[in-house]
Amino acid sequence: MQKTLAIIKPDGVARGLIGEVIKRIEESGLEISAMKMISMTKVQAQGFYAVHRDKPFFDSLTDFMSSGPAVVMVLKGENAIGKWREMMGATNYKEAADGTIRCDFATDIEKNVVHGSDAPETAAFEIGYFFNAFEQVA
Ligand code: IDP
Ligand code: MG
């Protein structure tokens, strides 16, 4: 069993895509072991994306991620990290496979609706960034 952090980013929430994304997660067989609505500050977004602090898009990305409410979730299941990334599709929606969330809904390389951890170490950091042990059902 593996855990990953998923986020429905502010563009996804603003466009009414919470239900659509959660429906896909439930149909995938992944379990939701924690979920909440948050509104990140700029500083919280900078901390979350610290790995990208030297990238040219860092300031714009953290402005976007702190621009409105987002839904953060812990997903659990076999190969949860890879499975959720496959469901999301490539970072650049123009390269995302058919039927993925980003292919179907993203409007921009930055505003790409969802986030997913990319490795067990980043998943552990990202889950701990938003949730303590008591907030996860299993
Ligand atoms: P990922 O979300 O698919 O893991 P990362 O490379 O980790 O992609 O980038 C984090 C986020 O930064 C992306 O989801 C996207 O919102 C934004 N981003 C990535 N590359 C670019 C870019 O070239 N221009 C603008 N924003 C970008
Ligand atoms: Mg990433």
Side-chain angles (χ1 to χ4, degrees):
M1 278 296 161
Q2 198 175 53
K3 285 184 175 180
T4 191
L5 184 87
I7 305 180
I8 305 173
K9 295 183 180 185
D11 61 330
V13 172
R15 291 169 56 211
L17 295 171
I18 296 174
E20 174 65 32
V21 173
I22 291 176
K23 178 170 76 78
R24 291 183 183 215
I25 290 168
E26 290 185 322
E27 286 172 357
S28 77
L30 289 171
E31 282 176 57
I32 299 172
S33 54
M35 176 162 67
K36 64 185 168 188
M37 188 90 134
I38 60 163
S39 202
M40 268 186 254
T41 65
K42 174 86 170 170
V43 168
Q44 285 170 331
Q46 288 169 330
F48 179 73
Y49 274 125
V51 64
H52 291 310
R53 63 186 166 270
D54 296 327
K55 303 271 172 58
F57 56 81
F58 182 67
D59 195 48
S60 171
L61 172 62
T62 52
D63 273 347
F64 163 54
M65 291 300 287
S66 59
S67 68
V71 174
V72 285
M73 286 174 275
V74 177
L75 308 182
K76 191 179 84 172
E78 199 178 323
N79 186 31
I81 294 170
K83 194 166 180 179
W84 173 236
R85 286 206 64 102
E86 201 176 306
M87 289 167 63
M88 291 198 308
T91 308
N92 183 349
Y93 72 105
K94 290 179 180 164
E95 291 161 13
D98 283 354
T100 61
I101 294 167
R102 284 167 167 174
C103 175
D104 289 347
F105 301 111
T107 52
D108 185 298
I109 189 166
E110 179 181 86
K111 293 172 184 63
N112 56 9
V113 187
V114 281
H115 166 85
S117 311
D118 61 8
E121 306 73 47
T122 48
F125 165 76
E126 292 177 357
I127 290 168
Y129 198 78
F130 293 114
F131 296 99
N132 67 46
F134 301 109
E135 294 173 305
Q136 300 177 53
V137 295

